[in-house]
Every structure is written in C-alpha cells, then in structure tokens.
Amino acid sequence: MELYFMGTNAGVPSLERNVTSLALRLFDERRTFWLFDCGEATQHQILRSPLKLSKLEYIFITHLHGDHLFGLPGLISSRAYQGGNTPLTLFGPPGLKKFIMTALEISESRISYSLEVVEHEGGILFEDESFCVESALLDHRIDSFGYRITEKDQPGKLDIEMLARHGIKPGPMYGKLKRGESINLPDGSLLHSTDVLGISKPGRIVTILGDTRPCEAAVQLAQDADVLVHESTFLHELAETAYTYHHSTTKQAAEAAKRAGAKQLFLTHFSSRYKYNDQLQQLEREAREVFPQSDLAREHVMYPILRHG
C-alpha cells in the first residue's frame, strides 16, 4: 500500500505543481489503485507515473470545486483507450452524477465499460473482506468530505512445514485455516488454525481529507491513523485568511494529527503564493514544531504506508 501524489496545489496549477489528485496504490493488496480527487490534467500526471488507468478501480471525490474534479470527464473518456475495460465506480457528494453525465452527454463521449456514480452524504460507503471506507462531512464553503480507509487485519502466515508433517497439501484446507477454521486430519484428530497460523498483521488506516477548516470530524476520521493527508493551504501567520476561505494552516493540520494520534502527516493543497522550495520548506518546518512526523507531499514520489501495530 502506497500513496502517490499527482497534484498538491490549491485552486490553480502552477509550473511546478498540479491541482489536487492523490492515488492510493493497492498493487499487493488487490492489484488496483484508488484515486482521491481528480483535478484538471490528472490523466496527464498518470501518464508520467507508474500507475495505469486500466488498474483504476474507485474514484473518491471530496467536493465539487473545480480544482478537485475538472479532470474527471477527460480521464473517464480516455480510460478505455488505455486498456481500462473493468467497471469503475465514483463516490462523491450530491451533484457529482449530474456533472459527469452532463459532460459526457454534451461531448457525446462513449464509455465502453461499466460506470457507476454513487452520491453520498457520509457514512460507510464500501466494505469487503479486505477494506472498509467511511466518510464524514468537514467544514468548507460547500459540502466537503473526508475519507477513512481501514484495512482489515490480515491473518498470519501458515506454518507450511508443520502442515506437511500432518500430510496437508496446498489447497482448500489452507484457505479454511487462514479463515480461522479448524480441519480434520487424516488420523481423525482436529487441527486448529491457532496451531499453524502466525501472528496476524494489523490493518493500516489511511485518512484523506478534502478542503476544510479545523473541525472535530477531521480528528475523528484520523483517529489512530497510520497516515493522515490534510490540506495546509497557508502558513499559520495567515490563519485569519485561512478561516475566511474555509481552509487550514500548517499548524492547524499538525494539531489535528496530534489530537487524533496519527502516526504520520502529509501536508498538501498549498497556496500558489508559495512558489519556491524554501517557502514550502517553511510550511513543513512550521508543522513539525507541533507534530514532528509531518512531511510535505511531493508530486511523483511513491510513499509506502508502514504498519505501526
């Protein structure tokens, strides 16, 4: 599981940074990736990345401001040309479906794969045997949501040598033991999964927030997260400006991470006023004064999500 940022600028792109888009790469877990927000030119950023549109499974939109979704129509239309023929599901606030369908209809775009748009107002959006995704409303000028992705605990490794001694070969019996079930051995005795399974691996938690002022929902979504991605549009000297425009400062993002007990914080959504590297480093330094495990999100860098359990 890794994070890959394809846009870290707020509002408009610059020569150095694109507008908001972030991929959660799940190659080892399910051989796909999920996209969070899709600002203009996101499909161009994907072409410059190790990601493939054919592997895109879900898109989660935080809110309906243009710098977070203007890249959707082009990406959806182009996906099939890059081998993307599997179903694609979009999650986002009410109004997302109208935006997508209007753009595709007026442009007479033809989609050759199954496309589903799920509008929501928070709560649990998706759950299977491996992951659960839930959402909550933040504090922004329009409805803006944060997403909490919880990986379920993974069973430990099977003791292959012990199974071989019992005459158990790879197959359905392995699956039963991994699921925590017991099996009957050839001699009629019972073999419990706890006898042959190692220590389970704790699942990881990733929280990705949309644009927001400081709010309790952000802290709750980030509770004990291994990684928190939080907007930090301004240095804290512009806290009043941040409040006026319904955004957060670096210090406020760090305070949210600290309150939530998160393990790592990635800062993103930087104002275009911060053009140079030394200005961005100032954002990082300010956050680290409150929460030392703070890092600037850099575009086209693969960040592994570590297990902290």
Side-chain angles (χ1 to χ4, degrees), residues 131-152:
F131 288 92
C132 177
V133 180
E134 55 190 307
S135 180
L137 184 66
L138 303 172
D139 182 2
H140 193 47
R141 186 162 57 86
I142 64 173
D143 284 358
S144 178
F145 290 88
Y147 294 98
R148 178 183 175 93
I149 304 95
T150 302
E151 179 189 34
K152 296 184 179 179

Side-chain angles (χ1 to χ4, degrees), residues 12 23 61 91 118 120 128 134 140 151 171 183-186 219-220 222 224 226 256 271 289:
V12 295
I61 299 298
F91 297 90
V118 178
H120 69 84
D128 64 9
E134 55 190 307
H140 193 47
E151 179 189 34
I183 62 172
N184 291 308
L185 295 174
V219 176
Q220 292 175 358
D224 299 320
D226 293 279
S271 168
E289 290 176 2

Side-chain angles (χ1 to χ4, degrees), residues 40-306:
E40 183 181 356
T42 293
Q43 66 169 317
H44 294 269
Q45 294 289 74
I46 289 176
L47 289 173
R48 297 174 54 206
S49 79
L51 306 169
K52 303 294 181 184
L53 274 180
S54 59
K55 301 296 185 182
L56 177 58
E57 184 179 16
Y58 297 117
I59 300 177
F60 299 87
I61 299 298
T62 62
H63 64 294
L64 303 185
H65 277 154
D67 57 322
H68 293 257
L69 87 164
F70 278 170
L72 275 175
L75 183 146
I76 290 170
S77 302
S78 301
R79 180 173 178 259
Y81 292 100
Q82 299 184 40
N85 295 310
T86 54
L88 177 64
T89 303
L90 280 64
F91 297 90
L96 177 62
K97 187 171 185 177
K98 181 179 180 181
F99 171 79
I100 294 297
M101 296 309 171
T102 300
L104 297 180
E105 180 182 349
I106 291 176
S107 63
E108 297 187 5
S109 299
R110 298 180 179 179
I111 307 301
S112 60
Y113 54 87
S114 173
L115 176 67
E116 183 180 8
V117 181
V118 178
E119 296 183 339
H120 69 84
E121 296 182 346
I124 295 178
L125 308 180
F126 164 80
E127 186 169 13
D128 64 9
E129 67 278 0
S130 301
F131 288 92
C132 177
V133 180
E134 55 190 307
S135 180
L137 184 66
L138 303 172
D139 182 2
H140 193 47
R141 186 162 57 86
I142 64 173
D143 284 358
S144 178
F145 290 88
Y147 294 98
R148 178 183 175 93
I149 304 95
T150 302
E151 179 189 34
K152 296 184 179 179
D153 293 348
Q154 300 177 2
K157 291 185 178 180
L158 289 171
D159 188 332
I160 305 301
E161 293 183 1
M162 180 182 291
L163 291 172
R165 290 197 298 270
H166 286 296
I168 305 299
K169 297 180 180 180
M173 295 297 186
Y174 275 33
K176 287 186 176 182
L177 290 167
K178 283 188 174 182
R179 292 192 297 270
E181 301 175 19
S182 300
I183 62 172
N184 291 308
L185 295 174
D187 63 6
S189 61
L190 200 62
L191 181 64
H192 300 287
S193 62
T194 52
D195 297 329
V196 292
L197 272 180
I199 299 174
S200 63
K201 297 179 181 178
R204 290 159 287 186
I205 299 172
V206 179
T207 300
I208 299 172
L209 303 182
D211 293 1
T212 187
R213 288 170 174 167
C215 64
E216 197 60 33
V219 176
Q220 292 175 358
L221 284 171
Q223 198 70 41
D224 299 320
D226 293 279
V227 169
L228 167 62
V229 178
H230 197 302
E231 70 126 294
S232 54
T233 309
F234 301 105
L235 285 166
H236 198 65
E237 64 187 14
L238 294 176
E240 187 173 330
T241 301
Y243 184 85
T244 299
Y245 290 99
H246 293 80
H247 286 297
S248 296
T249 68
T250 52
K251 183 178 179 181
Q252 289 166 344
E255 288 171 343
K258 185 176 182 179
R259 284 187 59 204
K263 309 301 187 299
Q264 184 177 13
L265 169 66
F266 282 109
L267 307 169
T268 188
H269 201 266
F270 312 122
S271 168
S272 57
R273 72 180 60 206
Y274 306 116
K275 295 181 173 61
Y276 306 108
N277 190 55
D278 59 338
Q279 294 175 314
L280 291 174
Q281 291 297 326
Q282 190 177 353
L283 292 166
E284 187 176 67
R285 286 195 298 270
E286 187 171 79
R288 286 180 174 177
E289 290 176 2
V290 176
F291 188 76
Q293 294 76 35
S294 300
D295 292 288
L296 290 174
R298 291 173 171 80
E299 295 179 17
H300 297 293
V301 174
M302 193 74 76
Y303 295 100
I305 300 173
L306 305 177

